[in-house]
Amino acid sequence: MHPYLNIAISAARRAGTIITRQLEKVDTLEIFEKGINDLVTYVDRSAEEAIMEIIYKAYPQHGIVAEESGVLPGNEFVWVIDPLDGTLNFTHGFPQFSISIAVLYRGVIEHAVIYDPISQDLYTASKGAGAQLNNRRIRVSNREALKSALIGMSFPCRGKDLQPGAHWESNSKVLSTLIFDHHAEPRKIGSAALNLAYVASGKLDGFYESGLKEWDIAAGILLVREAGGYVSDYQGEGESLDTGNIIAGTRRVHRELLKLVQENGVT
Ligand code: 2AM
Ligand code: CA
């Protein structure tokens, strides 16, 4: 195993311990609202500090981009960190959240870890070396079409997206087509990283969401690709890391989801 992946795993597990220890006390947690439905607690912050401490100890020259700390410049290696993806779920004690850590070299995602501290499921991938769940090789599902597929998704529900309008209408059309035409089952789980880990391990057949940040999706993109899946933005060729819009799935499911999103003008 690559030493960077080992460090990422130690950091994710350490953050997981910090997060689960606080889980029974969520009722008393002080919650700060960064925006509507965009929360942060001291748990996010202390998990992120613990992750950064482990990385800096091993690789003080590397750069870091982290949800709560922002950009900390370094050399050509950059660690992209979400210490708690699914903070809203966490504050409700709803057990769907994760820690996401990716290592990029010159902008290319080389290593990925997504850790679910509740199930203690550890998803890992290194570029060209496949994806694993708890050290066992994983692959995307063999779903050949949207028909009866299980699709992770989210509505636009932050900032300007809350105003009724085209954004909402195009998203609703995609959703109703999925349900009524394809008899697919949508799932809104609330952690983009976990959605991608679920696609990589075949629990979901596909996933789409817009307006995400690089720490939500960097690790998940590599996981899905190394598990034999497809990932793109809403143009079909661009890199989701840059646009924050993502479609992931098996080859066929990705293709059909992309068509659906484009036909309905989702941006
Ligand atoms: P978070 O829990 O780390 O904030 C839910 O649809 C997904 O969107 C989660 O992965 C959540 O990550 C993310 N999210 C929440 N607020 C966001 C924001 N303001 N910008 C981008 N992503 C956000
Ligand atoms: Ca996040």
Side-chain angles (χ1 to χ4, degrees), residues 67 82-87 191-193 212-213 215-217:
E67 173 154 20
D82 194 335
L84 176 50
D85 187 49
T87 303
S191 161
L212 293 165
K213 300 282 200 255
W215 46 76
D216 299 319
I217 54 177

Side-chain angles (χ1 to χ4, degrees), residues 128-144:
Q132 301 84 30
L133 164 54
N134 300 330
N135 289 323
R136 295 202 168 176
R137 191 69 189 261
I138 46 172
R139 280 197 64 78
V140 293
S141 79
N142 50 20
R143 182 79 48 193
E144 297 266 346

